[in-house]
Amino acid sequence: MQKILEAKHTLWLELFFGAFTLEPSQKEILLDFAMIEYRHLKWIAKEIVKNGQDFDWSREEPKTQFADTKELLEYLAIKLAGMSYPEGPLFDRIRSDEEYMRFRLQRLAKESSQPISAFSKELCYEGLEAKSIQTLVQFLFEEIYKEYELILVYTYAQLYTNEARLGLIFEDLIYESFYHLKSFAHLAAKLGILFVPREVMKEVYKFERLSTFLQEGIEEERAAKEQCRALSQEIQDEELRKFFDFIDNQETYHIELMQEALEVTKR
């Protein structure tokens, strides 16, 4: 089951980050498929935990370099065809989902093909000066990894908690991190610096004390707020400035959620 989990983890990332190389309509299809793969990942991990075993978020190295979008879509369709699962209701569902995904990806590959610029490192963003672009690039490299890490940490913690309120808080935080990851990946692709975050070390999500993790997480969120505020002040583009103000305010509520979770752990 751990090996299946690793393969699914990689497939999830290839679909998610591959989406940002495509035109808008195709992009949304791949993002939807990526979210289905995330649910598969979570369900498989839940089965492992239910059977009294542990798991980790190890993965294979995602493939990101393709000549064009047609090659990417064909690769993903072939990858889905090569997935193998044991019998049972969960895996029947997964096989059915992936059969449909494969069909759609094959159709998309025939519809159009375009060059991929998301990894070009062009570092060009209309309306931004070089200094602002460099500040934005540094922020994205840090925050894309952070949001990916948080999704894995909160999912792992959610699967091991029996406290309903904690589970709901983790669900909210996972949803928020997905939105931030999607937003930051979109900006990175526009700049030509899209990347798949490095693997998260086991020590990060297999923490000894949840309360310590939450307290440290609150401090990280406060630091992220400062970064958003600094970006908002430096960047002249009104849309981007408003976006980072928006993210800043969301981080404020994340701190409230984490403080609530911290209180639950003290009961």
Side-chain angles (χ1 to χ4, degrees), residues 154 156-168 170 210:
Y154 290 133
Y156 188 89
Q158 186 184 45
L159 289 167
Y160 278 96
T161 185
N162 294 316
E163 172 60 57
R165 183 56 195 151
L166 272 180
L168 288 172
F170 291 146
L210 178 57

Side-chain angles (χ1 to χ4, degrees), residues 35-94:
M35 290 306 299
I36 292 172
E37 287 295 340
Y38 165 74
R39 289 199 294 277
H40 290 177
L41 192 71
K42 189 174 177 180
W43 293 340
I44 294 169
K46 185 173 71 174
E47 286 296 307
I48 294 173
V49 174
K50 190 169 71 175
N51 291 331
Q53 299 172 312
D54 194 16
F55 71 93
D56 62 63
W57 292 127
S58 299
R59 69 187 203 206
E60 302 162 4
E61 188 60 32
K63 183 176 178 180
T64 59
Q65 299 301 313
F66 299 93
D68 50 39
T69 55
K70 178 180 175 66
E71 184 181 340
L72 163 67
L73 292 165
E74 288 177 341
Y75 164 80
L76 290 170
I78 292 169
K79 183 83 173 278
L80 284 164
M83 299 296 286
S84 179
Y85 304 105
E87 297 302 316
L90 169 59
F91 295 106
D92 288 343
R93 160 65 191 267
I94 290 174

Side-chain angles (χ1 to χ4, degrees), residues 113-146:
S113 182
Q114 60 189 28
I116 292 176
S117 61
F119 305 98
S120 66
K121 299 182 181 178
E122 288 181 358
L123 295 178
C124 182
Y125 196 107
E126 186 177 353
L128 291 190
E129 297 177 353
K131 183 180 177 183
S132 295
I133 288 177
Q134 288 302 322
T135 303
L136 180 57
V137 167
Q138 182 178 352
F139 174 85
L140 292 173
F141 272 118
E142 293 174 3
E143 291 301 304
I144 287 175
Y145 172 77
K146 184 195 117 180

